[in-house]
Amino acid sequence: MGGAFFISLLGVALTALPGVSARFLVAQGLTPEKLLQPSPDTWPTYNGDYSGRRFSTLDQINSGNISSLALAWAFRARTAAIKSTPLEVNGILYLTTPDNVWAVDARFGHEIWHYRRVSQGDHIGHRGVGMYGDWLYFTTPDAHLVSLNAKDGSKRWDIELADPKLEYFSTMSPLVVRNHVLVGVSGDVTDIPGFLDSVDPETGKMQWRWYTEPRPGEPGSETWPKNSDAILHGGGMTWMTGTYDPDLNLVYWGTGNAGPDYNGLEREGDNLYTASIVALDADTGKLRWHYQFTPHDIWDYDSTQMPVLADLTLGGELWKAVLFANRNGFFYVLDRATGKLIRGKPFIQTTWATGIRPDGRPMLGGNSVPSEEGTKVCPDQSGGTNWMPPSFDPGLGLFFVTARESCGIFFSWKDDYNAGDAFRGGAVQRLAETNYSALRAIDVATGERRWEFPYTVQSWAGVLSTASGVVFAGGSGNLMAFDAKSGKHLWHFQTGSSLYAGAITYMVDNRQYVLMPSGTTLTAFALAEF
């Protein structure tokens, strides 16, 4: 598509039908019951539903007609790059970049309202909003949680989650569960502890807080050095959105790396509950179970990827499982009621560990400890995957993930502790010799790779799968579609900008749309109408 045509079409999207949005300005009514069983034509949470599968039952777009998939409209944010997942509720999209929220007509890309906030802090990116009834919730670069009226974007309240002077910030899309707004913090380059909060959606008052490092004397504190204050500033940020099992009333959340990142001599022990998945009671925040993917993490292997909930039959036995493609390069299947390891298997090249023991602990590779002279370790600090959300097709039993093949030279040195300053204890030099990414399909029954599609460069895009057997992912600015069973490349569109989020799909007026953020532009695709 030529640039002139794209600009012309974009201009229409921003100005056409100015009155069309008015009829949508009615009560949204996104009740807890509707969040439990969302309508298949909408996308009301970060992952579409509580499971984290990013799988849609919509099938209007399929392998037989996808060649006619075309750009329907585009909306330009004119701020930072869009790294968020928009929500779609009642024909309205809710989109974010740091300090900005928009309501956009889902059929034509016409702006309904725009809220802007000015804050100090780390504007590294933003993942989106949460929604409850007629209210929206979003986090800010100075670690606040703000609630807006979904009808007009007016502010309801603004609370501080943590002190931004300590370099706390927040990027995540809040998860709304029952009458709880669950939200966490970022900032793991410093010496501060991570936590997850539950906030009352009406008043903004805190209901409970769970710290990723236990308080001295609590269970898990024995995994930190005695006679040391390392546990008080140990990292473990809750960067990304979690998932929820309503039957067990458990929320599942990944935690970040310990601090300092690369110098483990400062914090001997496993360092719970960093680099872990935790299952918390949604109403109380009480820890039910944990599984630590990378005990005593010295490679910056944040475990803040998406926990995906699935019901599987493995070896003739039914399992309610959590699927987790981890930054450390291993793909895990866990029992989501107990945290018991069912399987752990690498999905990329790993040298820091060679496998996972039956007791769930990794078998460390030789010569993998960061050092002053430098140690080669695979994967590098960005990991086998990262923030980009995966997808799971329950019918095919395939887990789709943007995988990274990479290695780095890991250095370690002593960092002096200064409150609020960077506290890494080393650095990493990425190696160009092995540095590419691919869309990989993992058979969850075996843990084996079913197929892959290599990208020419690293990709930071997430994945969407649909009931029609089409998978959407991408790289190098290309939104791409693949056959879910075989990995055959079916379609692509060059957006002209980098992809830092995952696609979603929804249906309005009996027309299915696929939506993908690209740079500062939100692009919507639908089957061409002739």
Side-chain angles (χ1 to χ4, degrees), residues 130-411:
M131 191 171 186
Y132 177 92
D134 300 335
W135 305 327
L136 302 174
Y137 306 87
F138 78 101
T139 59
T140 70
D142 55 359
H144 281 230
L145 177 66
V146 180
S147 178
L148 304 178
N149 190 317
K151 297 178 184 179
D152 57 15
S154 59
K155 185 173 70 175
R156 299 179 59 238
W157 45 256
D158 182 331
I159 63 169
E160 183 178 270
L161 298 171
D163 188 351
K165 294 179 181 178
L166 296 177
E167 303 299 326
Y168 278 107
F169 59 98
S170 190
T171 63
M172 69 181 317
S173 172
L175 178 67
V176 178
V177 170
R178 294 156 63 93
N179 66 327
H180 309 287
V181 179
L182 304 179
V183 62
V185 287
S186 310
D188 68 344
V189 302
T190 56
D191 61 301
I192 46 183
F195 59 83
L196 183 70
D197 279 352
S198 175
V199 174
D200 186 295
E202 296 194 31
T203 66
K205 292 183 178 180
M206 186 191 301
Q207 297 165 325
W208 54 257
R209 171 171 289 185
W210 179 80
Y211 280 100
T212 57
E213 288 90 13
R215 303 299 86 188
E218 292 180 350
S221 61
E222 72 280 359
T223 66
W224 292 82
K226 295 180 178 179
N227 304 317
S228 167
D229 62 354
I231 195 173
L232 300 178
H233 44 81
M237 296 299 140
T238 49
W239 289 83
M240 298 293 291
T241 306
T243 51
Y244 174 59
D245 183 332
D247 293 330
L248 297 173
N249 197 34
L250 294 180
V251 293
Y252 303 89
W253 226 276
T255 65
N257 60 278
D261 295 38
Y262 308 112
N263 186 351
L265 297 177
E266 302 289 320
R267 46 175 177 82
E268 291 291 345
D270 284 355
N271 308 139
L272 289 174
Y273 296 96
T274 66
S276 302
I277 180 177
V278 296
L280 307 177
D281 184 284
D283 292 324
T284 65
K286 182 179 179 180
L287 179 67
R288 291 285 188 85
W289 60 258
H290 75 278
Y291 179 88
Q292 192 171 42
F293 299 107
T294 313
H296 189 64
D297 176 20
I298 49 176
W299 304 278
D300 195 10
Y301 291 157
D302 276 355
S303 294
T304 55
Q305 296 72 56
M306 190 57 56
V308 177
L309 311 186
D311 295 339
L312 309 175
T313 300
L314 304 173
E317 186 175 357
L318 179 64
W319 292 88
K320 291 185 176 297
V322 179
L323 312 177
F324 206 111
N326 197 273
R327 185 163 167 170
N328 69 15
F330 283 81
F331 175 69
Y332 297 84
V333 182
L334 306 172
D335 184 313
R336 70 174 181 262
T338 65
K340 176 185 176 182
L341 175 71
I342 300 172
R343 182 190 303 114
K345 201 166 188 177
F347 66 96
I348 62 156
Q349 177 192 9
T350 62
T351 62
W352 76 275
T354 59
I356 306 298
R357 298 187 332 210
D359 64 0
R361 295 187 67 86
M363 296 180 285
L364 297 181
N367 192 28
S368 60
V369 178
S371 60
E372 287 191 6
E373 61 274 14
T375 306
K376 181 180 178 181
V377 182
C378 308
D380 67 14
Q381 81 282 14
S382 293
T385 189
N386 206 290
W387 69 73
M388 41 282 209
S391 183
F392 173 63
D393 185 322
L396 297 177
L398 293 180
F399 185 96
F400 307 102
V401 61
T402 302
R404 302 180 66 257
E405 293 286 355
S406 61
C407 301
I409 304 297
F410 285 71
F411 297 90

